[in-house]
Amino acid sequence: MHGRPWGSGPPPRWGARGVSWSNARRVRVLVRVKSLSIYAIGDVQGCLGALEALLEKIRFDLRRDRLWFVGDLVNRGPDSLEVLRFVKSLGDAAITVLGNHDLHLVALAEGFGKRRADDTLDDVLAAPDRDELVAWLRHRPMLHAEGGYVVVHAGLLPQWTVAQARELAGEVEAALRGPRYRSFLAELYGSRPAYWDDALLGADRLRVVVNAMTRMRFVAADGAMEFHAKGAPASAPRGCRPWFDAPGRRSADATLVTGHWSALGLRVAPNLLALDTGCVWGGQLSAVRLPDRQVFQVACPRG
């Protein structure tokens, strides 16, 4: 518990000119006037208290601001259920792309995959609004492209242009949202094929897209994804490098906004905003305001 102001009831009201959090004991109103801002936010992973603190720090205004979440709203942290309910309640003010933990929750809810010892998803799976929340999550995009930015959880394979990546994300989204989505989820898990080939079809094709966009960190010289190493770039396996450092990366004409890689940490570069700063591990939850790229961070107590 993080002492969230609305307890187990509805989420806070985000006023037209400020933030209003209220319950029977507390009413707090912040009044201000500001122009629209977009804030890209790193991996929340069920850390509701940190998300509350970050939104207060940026003075989030529901009617004037937009939030772009890089995925992994859930898992490992203590409040996955309340994070889902809250972000869903923001409506069009928030866009969240799918991360590997989000897809893991969807698969578990549909009877696929295996629960892991460090999963913290039981509150979602047992919730009375579970089906509504999982359906909402299943309809989130794999990728969001707007104004020269591309939001994707892990990254894009170096040989993909942004246009190709958008098309491939659309294929996965159609499978997730379509009438045969359970068949897609049944084939979701696995690390093979580890490389992209335009000739790939069916489950193999979609699995490569999902793995690149939600799991990838390092790639080999031949384009194969390496899924075992999770450390900092300096610890790259022999013959591998971070996906964003691959020579000739075809998406380098856009700014990619990513999460997923806590060991990479915050990186603000001309064509990369990496925002996973390890909140769930006791690090920080980070936001970057666009387009001026001002960084906002709040500390996250571990656990």
Side-chain angles (χ1 to χ4, degrees):
M1 296 293 290
H2 292 280
R4 48 189 171 275
W6 63 93
S8 59
R13 297 188 301 276
W14 301 86
R17 299 182 58 177
V19 180
S20 173
W21 286 351
S22 64
N23 64 8
R25 296 183 179 181
R26 174 173 74 163
V27 176
R28 181 176 185 181
V29 180
L30 303 176
V31 179
R32 63 200 166 86
V33 176
K34 64 187 288 295
S35 59
L36 181 145
S37 293
I38 296 172
Y39 295 91
I41 297 179
D43 302 40
V44 178
Q45 292 198 246
C47 296
L48 180 64
L51 178 57
E52 290 176 354
L54 183 62
L55 295 184
E56 184 167 359
K57 185 166 189 174
I58 67 175
R59 299 173 64 86
F60 172 63
D61 184 322
L62 178 64
R63 303 245 182 124
R64 295 181 181 271
D65 297 333
R66 296 296 177 263
L67 305 178
W68 290 354
F69 291 93
V70 300
D72 279 359
L73 292 179
V74 301
N75 211 9
R76 305 280 174 80
D79 295 309
S80 291
L81 175 60
E82 295 301 332
V83 168
L84 278 181
R85 285 172 172 166
F86 173 64
V87 176
K88 179 176 179 291
S89 78
L90 295 176
D92 292 340
I95 292 171
T96 181
V97 298
L98 288 165
N100 52 304
H101 287 289
D102 305 318
L103 287 169
H104 180 55
L105 170 59
V106 172
L108 288 179
E110 295 293 341
F112 301 104
K114 296 180 180 179
R115 296 196 188 196
R116 300 162 184 160
D118 54 358
D119 283 346
T120 59
L121 299 170
D122 288 349
D123 57 344
V124 182
L125 296 172
D129 52 346
R130 153 193 160 145
D131 291 347
E132 178 184 349
L133 291 170
V134 170
W136 174 81
L137 198 58
R138 185 165 54 82
H139 283 75
R140 296 312 93 203
M142 292 291 296
L143 174 154
H144 176 72
E146 179 181 336
Y149 296 95
V150 178
V151 187
V152 63
H153 182 61
L156 299 180
L157 281 169
Q159 58 266 50
W160 291 345
T161 64
V162 171
Q164 183 180 12
R166 292 180 72 169
E167 292 179 1
L168 294 172
E171 292 181 25
V172 174
E173 292 159 8
L176 267 173
R177 301 169 185 177
R180 293 178 52 80
Y181 73 90
R182 287 179 52 83
S183 297
F184 166 78
L185 293 171
E187 301 287 345
L188 175 65
Y189 289 92
S191 298
R192 295 290 182 269
Y195 58 89
W196 176 251
D197 187 321
D198 287 336
L200 286 170
L201 298 172
D204 284 349
R205 179 181 179 89
L206 297 181
R207 192 182 306 111
V208 172
V209 177
V210 169
N211 285 343
M213 294 187 181
T214 69
R215 295 180 57 207
M216 177 177 63
R217 295 182 181 91
F218 296 103
V219 294
D222 63 359
M225 293 177 280
E226 202 287 331
F227 294 115
H228 298 291
K230 299 182 179 181
S235 67
R238 183 184 298 271
C240 295
R241 65 179 69 205
W243 64 269
F244 51 81
D245 280 340
R249 177 166 65 86
R250 300 183 70 194
S251 59
D253 55 341
T255 298
L256 268 67
V257 184
T258 67
H260 183 59
W261 196 348
S262 60
L264 176 63
L266 179 69
R267 181 165 295 203
V268 179
N271 59 9
L272 177 67
L273 298 173
L275 302 181
D276 184 359
T277 43
C279 180
V280 76
W281 308 117
Q284 296 176 307
L285 184 61
S286 299
V288 173
R289 186 172 63 202
L290 306 175
D292 70 345
R293 299 190 174 208
Q294 182 173 344
V295 175
F296 301 82
Q297 294 183 305
V298 295
C300 304
R302 180 158 186 159

